[in-house]
Amino acid sequence: MARVLSGVQPTGDPHIGNYLGAWIRWAREQQPEHFFCIVDLHAITMPHDPEQLRDRTVDVACWLYACGLDPALSALFVQSQVREHAELAWVLNCVATMGELHRMTQFKEKSQGRESVSVGLFDYPVLQAADILLYHAEEVPVGADQQQHVELTRDIAQRFNSRYGETLTLPKATFPTAGARIMDLQLVDKKMSKSLGTAGAILLGDTEAQTRKKIMRAVTDSGSEVRAAPDKPGITNLLDLMAAVTGASTQDLEDHFSGTRYGDFKAEVAEAVNGVVRPVRDRHAELASDLGAVHESLAKGADRAREVAAGTMTAVRERVGFLT
Ligand code: TYM
């Protein structure tokens, strides 16, 4: 069984892209050596409200447990509670280059049009590399938007190893067959995201009626065929969503919906999405009403994470020449 680490930012409300791109696999495939991190250090790279950050950190934990993460199996923890993340990030800062960070598309997107950009935002991918490398993760289950960051992590690890001797494990990103990049329902050329606004994003916390309405209003394409094609981004996205929630192949779905009108197709997609999200939303509500248990599980997760992270840091410190 491969060692796994993945992470999520406690910013904005979780949406169906997070669930289908990453979380559903975290829960399905979890093992004792799998680590999942709520990355609050990453969340402060952009302007934020401290009180809201604390609330969202706990809320995203509720969502992850609601999706099926089991504290008796995998370890879910909060990044800032394991100090080694910041420590390894500093060491890796001295291995990563300005040139490779300048090439990161997420930095370009997030910094665009901003007058003042934090050094932390520029350095974001190095901290992400530290998250992954601390746990010797072989696999990183993520959505397609994270591929470039995981590739950078490999490059940094490789450079560290060739400079200081074999220490860090080279990870690879893994993606779902369907749902690796769910697009916004209104702006179909943009990935669904917490920052785009909620009209085109299906939030896990939406009511069933809200979800149905958003899907029924999703931008579709000219023509009337339910078929995945480059000139049909709206329908392609809904088919991908349907494939991800049902497990059916796009081909099977195209056959199933052959001759179906867009409106009827969308109604079926809405029903399927609601069917999958309903139990998660119910469980989230239960967990949110007893936060004591959630805090306790996070604390245990952090203890387990610290143990592994401390072992890696001992090796790293020794390799780079720090006094032990
Ligand atoms: P974040 O918080 O933006 O997203 C969490 C996970 O959800 C996936 N995702 C999507 N998948 C499919 N379609 C979408 N529209 C969509 N939107 C989001 C993301 O790919 C991700 O898997 N940099 C990371 C957090 C991070 C991390 C890590 C990830 C920090 N350290 C170490 C992996 C390993 C991020 O901002 O994810």
Side-chain angles (χ1 to χ4, degrees), residues 5-9 15 17-18 21-23 26 39 42 79 106 110 124 128 131-132 140-146 149 179-183 191-194:
L5 175 124
S6 199
V8 57
Q9 289 201 68
H15 55 74
N18 300 129
W23 299 355
W26 297 5
V39 296
H42 280 108
Q79 187 188 34
Q106 186 176 301
K110 286 197 172 175
Y124 181 115
Q128 181 160 349
D131 299 340
I132 297 168
V140 185
V142 280
D145 61 324
Q146 297 301 315
H149 285 168
R181 186 189 293 275
I182 300 287
M183 307 306 278
K191 80 168 171 127
M192 189 178 284
S193 98
K194 300 160 193 163

Side-chain angles (χ1 to χ4, degrees), residues 120-262:
L121 185 65
F122 184 64
D123 198 32
Y124 181 115
V126 178
L127 179 59
Q128 181 160 349
D131 299 340
I132 297 168
L133 298 174
L134 272 178
Y135 300 90
H136 294 284
E138 294 152 297
E139 292 184 3
V140 185
V142 280
D145 61 324
Q146 297 301 315
Q147 179 161 24
Q148 198 186 27
H149 285 168
V150 181
E151 275 165 16
L152 175 71
T153 303
R154 282 180 74 87
D155 293 344
I156 294 175
Q158 210 151 24
R159 198 171 312 135
F160 183 100
N161 288 347
S162 66
R163 197 175 287 175
Y164 298 111
E166 234 18 74
T167 315
L168 303 171
T169 304
L170 270 50
K172 75 169 198 293
T174 65
F175 310 105
T177 323
R181 186 189 293 275
I182 300 287
M183 307 306 278
D184 188 273
L185 300 182
Q186 293 299 321
L187 308 165
V188 287
D189 59 333
K190 301 220 157 37
K191 80 168 171 127
M192 189 178 284
S193 98
K194 300 160 193 163
S195 55
L196 267 188
T198 58
I202 302 169
L203 306 182
L204 296 183
D206 279 344
T207 63
E208 295 194 21
Q210 283 170 323
T211 297
R212 196 174 312 112
K213 197 158 149 190
K214 286 179 183 178
I215 294 176
M216 295 309 290
R217 286 188 181 168
V219 167
T220 40
D221 318 287
S222 55
S224 57
E225 261 178 287
V226 177
R227 179 169 55 80
D231 61 335
K232 293 170 93 62
I235 293 293
T236 302
N237 188 36
L238 290 175
L239 278 169
D240 190 38
L241 193 56
M242 188 70 173
V245 293
T246 59
S249 70
T250 308
Q251 181 61 57
D252 286 349
L253 291 173
E254 284 177 341
D255 293 345
H256 174 76
F257 289 111
S258 156
T260 307
R261 284 180 312 195
Y262 281 174

Side-chain angles (χ1 to χ4, degrees), residues 42-68:
H42 280 108
I44 65 166
T45 57
M46 296 287 269
H48 75 286
D49 175 69
E51 218 33 69
Q52 197 175 47
L53 175 61
R54 233 184 310 274
D55 289 346
R56 284 188 162 155
T57 299
V58 179
D59 190 53
V60 82
C62 291
W63 281 112
L64 289 167
Y65 291 131
C67 288

